[in-house]
């Protein structure tokens, strides 16, 4: 058994230490990603990377995440979510520092693969631990955990630009590493331990034969693909097709992510009151309306409002899918969740390149107008969200 805190009795109160700990680790994971974003230009300049070479580097980061997510799921099934969360969180602390110090392109390729991989494995483990805390509290917490991830990303990105300008790249990464170490080591003292199943050694860690994890994975994939499209192509759409200024074009993802972060903190009590299925259906309708408004917008301001409405909708779709996967009966802990995480993050890491290819021929307005078709599939599968409801008995 790995970890003892909190697995023997239900966590009590609205924000017990176990919930605070896993929320802090979601924040830390987002903070690393957010801190990396403003470092990318310096990273490319230092290694003399062209735009296409930098694109390949970012692809390696994504591949590292996707490769290590199933590995993280298998480790969670064998060792428990608390143990794997601890190991991956500690391993992530020096990753950004190593990336900044990587002396050559081949060294940077290796480091960025493992950087993405560690973040991906940590993602699966901390989502599994959040499911464990949800069960212990008998209350939804997954949306707010993802809200803390969004907040971490926002703080990392906002501070990054300021700190790099003020104290330089190296001092920035040292400060980030120290802040990260402090947050992680304080949080790890309170991570909720989950009992390792007696049968863990005997459970074969193969891909699930049941269709359920893959159907929930499609829900996650089709919820996250539009998120990736807005992240990668929203600004370009506003700039090229709606004649937005450079400053205004950055508001596409800004409005989307701000609305998403706010609604993630509101999402758990809504889900506890309405149930996961109805909450998912309402969110999906908001997402459909938002994307249609953005795709058919006559000007940049209307498109930004559309992206914000889409953010309100998408905010809780993915956390509900993750809760449903983590609560599926009959699976070794972490296995179903790693399938759904892998499929979902493919929507952010891989799908945007396909969307870019299509948009060359159709334009982004057509793409954003067509993306709600994916949400209609999520609506069709929405009854599967019932597995995300907390049992009150």
């Amino acid at each position: 058994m790995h970890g003892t805190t909190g697995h023997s009795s239900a966590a009590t109160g609205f924000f017990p230490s176990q919930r605070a700990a896993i929320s802090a680790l979601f924040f830390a994971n987002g903070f690393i990603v957010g801190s990396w974003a403003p470092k990318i230009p310096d990273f490319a300049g230092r290694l003399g990377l062209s735009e296409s070479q930098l694109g390949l580097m970012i692809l390696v980061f994504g591949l590292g995440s996707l490769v290590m997510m199933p590995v993280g799921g298998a480790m969670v099934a064998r060792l428990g979510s608390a143990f794997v969360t601890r190991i991956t969180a500690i391993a992530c602390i020096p990753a950004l520092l190593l990336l900044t110090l990587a002396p050559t392109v081949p060294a940077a390729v290796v480091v960025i693969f493992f950087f993405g991989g560690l973040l991906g494995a940590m993602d699966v483990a901390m989502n599994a631990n959040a499911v464990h805390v949800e069960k212990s509290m008998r209350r939804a917490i997954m949306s707010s955990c993802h809200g803390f991830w969004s907040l971490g990303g926002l703080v990392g990105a906002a501070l990054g630009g300021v700190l790099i300008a003020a104290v330089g790249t190296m001092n920035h990464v040292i400060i980030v590493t120290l802040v990260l170490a402090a947050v992680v080591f304080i949080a790890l003292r309170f991570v909720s331990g989950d009992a390792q199943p007696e049968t863990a050694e005997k459970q074969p860690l193969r891909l699930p034969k049941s269709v359920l994890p893959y159907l929930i994975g499609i829900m996650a994939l089709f919820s996250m693909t539009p998120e990736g499209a807005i992240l990668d192509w929203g600004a370009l759409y506003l700039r090229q097709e709606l004649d937005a200024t450079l400053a205004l074009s950055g508001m596409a993802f800004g409005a989307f992510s701000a609305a998403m972060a706010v609604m993630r903190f509101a999402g758990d009590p809504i889900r506890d009151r309405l149930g996961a299925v109805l909450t998912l259906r309402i969110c999906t309708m908001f997402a459909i309306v938002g994307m249609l408004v953005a795709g058919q917008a006559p000007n940049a301001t209307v498109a930004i409002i559309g992206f914000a409405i889409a953010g309100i909708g998408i905010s809780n779709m993915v956390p509900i899918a993750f809760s449903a996967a983590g609560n599926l009966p009959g699976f070794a802990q972490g296995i179903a969740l790693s399938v759904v995480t892998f499929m979902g993050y493919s929507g952010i890491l891989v799908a945007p390149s396909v969307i870019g290819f299509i948009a060359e021929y159709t334009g982004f307005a057509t793409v954003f107008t067509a993306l709600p078709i994916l949400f209609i599939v999520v609506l069709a599968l929405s009854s599967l969200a019932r597995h995300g409801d907390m049992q009150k008995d």
Side-chain angles (χ1 to χ4, degrees), residues 143 219 222-223 226 256 259-260 262-272 274-292 306-321 372 374-376 378-379 382 385:
S143 289
M219 284 169 56
F222 285 2
S223 299
F256 172 81
M260 190 159 71
V262 169
M263 283 308 297
R264 280 182 164 169
F265 286 109
D268 294 320
I270 292 171
R271 170 152 64 115
D272 280 334
L274 301 180
V277 175
L278 182 56
T279 304
L280 179 66
R281 286 172 178 165
I282 292 169
C283 285
T284 308
M285 292 308 297
F286 268 97
I288 289 170
V289 170
M291 292 303 279
L292 288 174
F307 286 135
I309 295 167
I312 290 169
I314 293 172
S315 60
N316 292 298
M317 291 166 69
V318 175
I320 288 171
L374 302 182
F375 294 140
I376 292 167
V378 175
L379 274 181
S382 60

Side-chain angles (χ1 to χ4, degrees), residues 161-182:
V162 174
L163 280 176
I164 289 169
V167 299
T169 304
M170 200 63 225
N171 287 330
H172 162 253
V173 81
I174 290 167
I175 292 166
V176 165
T177 304
L178 291 173
V179 169
L180 202 55

Side-chain angles (χ1 to χ4, degrees), residues 119-159:
L119 286 172
M122 181 183 173
D123 205 295
V124 172
M126 67 188 186
N127 274 290
N129 194 258
V131 169
H132 171 70
V133 177
E134 280 191 327
K135 287 176 180 174
S136 175
M137 292 180 67
R138 292 180 170 81
R139 177 187 287 140
I141 69 159
M142 187 66 84
S143 289
S144 69
C145 283
H146 284 253
F148 277 106
W149 189 94
S150 299
L151 189 62
L154 201 62
V155 171
L159 273 181

Side-chain angles (χ1 to χ4, degrees), residues 208-226:
K209 290 180 178 175
S210 164
V211 75
L212 277 179
Y214 302 104
L215 290 175
I216 294 173
I218 288 170
M219 284 169 56
L221 171 63
F222 285 2
S223 299
M224 292 173 90
T225 295

Side-chain angles (χ1 to χ4, degrees), residues 81-123:
S81 68
F83 181 76
V84 182
T85 300
R86 288 189 179 104
I87 294 301
T88 51
I90 291 168
C92 277
I93 292 169
L96 214 53
L97 186 61
L98 292 174
L99 205 52
T100 307
L101 294 171
T104 62
V105 172
V109 169
V110 173
V111 175
I112 204 166
F113 179 84
F114 283 104
F115 179 43
L118 284 168
L119 286 172
M122 181 183 173
D123 205 295

